[in-house]
Amino acid sequence: EVTFTYLSGWQRLDIEWVAVTLNGTEIMRDTHAGTAGKPSTANTYKINPGTMAFNSRYEVRAKVRTTDTSDSKGVITIRKSKP
């Protein structure tokens, strides 16, 4: 799972989706509206790429934006989802 946590700044982060790619090909996507700010809502995205392939390149991608300026600071945490 991927969680966006707001720390500081004038803008919240609006999140549209989070995806995982394997060697450049998207293999998984969680699409739902979320925000990281005060307050944060639905800011955790469930992704589970399954068994990891040896000698492969994985990337986590997300579509995010702020309302006006880019003054939004935070942390992105990636961790194994609980079953």
Side-chain angles (χ1 to χ4, degrees):
E1 65 184 31
V2 178
T3 302
F4 295 80
T5 305
Y6 168 85
L7 295 178
S8 65
W10 289 101
Q11 302 294 316
R12 73 171 189 241
L13 191 67
D14 294 326
I15 310 138
E16 187 174 323
W17 53 260
V18 173
V20 175
T21 64
L22 171 59
N23 297 324
T25 301
E26 187 174 302
I27 59 170
M28 176 167 290
R29 180 184 288 227
D30 181 359
T31 301
H32 67 265
T35 60
K38 290 187 178 182
S40 291
T41 58
N43 58 323
T44 296
Y45 290 75
K46 302 293 183 184
I47 55 172
N48 183 359
T51 303
M52 304 295 276
F54 182 70
N55 270 346
S56 296
R57 179 181 171 153
Y58 288 87
E59 292 181 339
V60 175
R61 297 181 179 178
K63 184 172 184 182
V64 300
R65 67 178 178 86
T66 58
T67 306
D68 291 318
T69 69
S70 60
D71 184 18
S72 184
K73 298 169 187 66
V75 175
I76 301 169
T77 306
I78 302 171
R79 67 177 157 235
K80 185 176 181 179
S81 297
K82 296 176 184 175

